[in-house]
Amino acid sequence: MTDVGAVFDAGRAEFVDWSPLLWGPMGSATAEAGGLEPGDRVLDVCCGAGASALPAAELVGEQGLVHGLDLSAELLGYATKVAARRGLRHAEFFEADVTVWEAPDGEPYDLLQCAYGVFFLPEMDTAVGRLSTLVRPGGRVVITTWADAATEGFGSELVDAVRVYKPELPINSPVNLAAQRINTEDKLTGWLAGLGLTEVEVRRVELSIPIDAALAWSFVLGTGMRARLAGLTERQVEGVRADFTHRLAAAGIDHLDAASLIGVGTR
């Protein structure tokens, strides 16, 4: 089983490099979608470097609170430093298993949010269903995920490059398969409704990011795609990088399709 925390610990620098391009803008969009008010209590799961937790903390103000959960100590450390620099003392970050998390004070949250993370959770439906019970009746759940075809050509070129050294590598990982279950407006709407949420609304956000070879490889190293390199030697990783770069150029891929969906439901 992939150690998700270790994957993102190793990719901290590259993950942070992508913050102004992708995670930051979409994190802000995620926080804004929840209709947060001053004083609200927010649970942000799979919070990473705080892309959605930090803007949420700004929206709820000092009278509110934000609890950010993740398995990557490196990303949490970054989020904690940024929160301190911005004076967001009411944003707290925890290295914790979200599947068993309970609010330290036992009080319910007003909003649960997760940007690009639910598909990493074991038993995604069960995990998010339980997390939603930590939200008060009338509270909201916000889920941001990849839209259909987002990063697909990019990811398939990487898989083909890695399979030169790891021919047994499956085309789709469990994370990919989980993400595919919620990658259209209809699928995400149905999934959120299936969790018992009402007043579900889903909107698509188009985002295309120009990339060069260095930035493309940075995305691989800073995301869950990095897990596909596990077990390779340094020389093999360099071989994958060269082959991947060539494949992107041959396919004419000079942008990362980062189209995303933001779904909101009421408990």
Side-chain angles (χ1 to χ4, degrees):
M1 181 180 294
T2 301
D3 184 339
V4 176
V7 169
F8 282 92
D9 279 345
R12 173 197 177 279
E14 292 84 4
F15 186 97
V16 170
D17 283 346
W18 271 85
S19 291
L21 299 171
L22 174 57
W23 314 126
M26 291 307 303
S28 293
T30 299
E32 291 164 3
L36 288 169
E37 300 287 346
D40 278 350
R41 294 166 53 92
V42 179
L43 176 61
D44 188 311
V45 299
C46 308
C47 69
S52 50
L54 295 170
E58 292 172 345
L59 289 170
V60 303
E62 292 185 359
Q63 57 270 58
L65 68 80
V66 175
H67 288 157
L69 313 181
D70 205 275
L71 293 176
S72 171
E74 289 290 331
L75 293 182
L76 290 168
Y78 180 86
T80 299
K81 290 178 182 178
V82 175
R85 188 166 67 241
R86 296 183 185 177
L88 301 173
R89 291 182 295 275
H90 53 290
E92 300 179 74
F93 296 92
F94 303 86
E95 185 178 350
D97 179 352
V98 305
T99 64
V100 295
W101 174 262
E102 300 282 349
D105 60 6
E107 294 296 316
Y109 294 98
D110 298 292
L111 182 134
L112 164 69
Q113 64 182 22
C114 183
Y116 307 106
V118 292
F119 35 76
F120 285 107
L121 300 177
E123 302 297 334
M124 180 174 74
D125 298 10
T126 301
V128 181
R130 192 199 77 84
L131 285 165
S132 69
T133 67
L134 302 181
V135 177
R136 64 170 174 81
R140 299 163 305 286
V141 175
V142 182
I143 303 295
T144 298
T145 188
W146 300 113
D148 56 313
T151 78
E152 259 186 18
F154 197 90
S156 64
E157 299 298 345
L158 176 66
V159 169
D160 287 344
V162 174
R163 288 177 107 184
V164 172
Y165 303 98
K166 297 169 68 174
E168 76 286 356
L169 185 73
I171 294 174
N172 284 308
S173 67
V175 171
N176 295 142
L177 294 173
Q180 288 170 17
R181 293 182 49 222
I182 52 174
N183 67 356
T184 69
E185 289 93 326
D186 287 345
K187 287 181 184 178
L188 183 55
T189 297
W191 185 75
L192 291 170
L195 296 176
L197 302 176
T198 61
E199 301 175 0
V200 175
E201 296 183 1
V202 175
R203 70 182 179 95
R204 183 181 178 107
V205 179
E206 300 293 346
L207 183 59
S208 181
I209 303 171
I211 55 171
D212 57 17
L215 195 56
W217 189 243
S218 174
F219 186 78
V220 170
L221 295 184
T223 64
M225 290 182 179
R226 187 187 190 108
R228 297 191 179 280
L229 305 175
L232 298 182
T233 66
E234 288 186 17
R235 178 172 293 184
Q236 288 172 332
V237 170
E238 282 305 309
V240 170
R241 177 176 184 171
D243 190 11
F244 172 64
T245 300
H246 173 76
R247 289 172 184 272
L248 288 184
I253 298 175
D254 58 3
H255 284 68
L256 176 71
D257 179 356
S260 302
L261 303 172
I262 302 177
V264 184
T266 300
R267 177 164 186 254

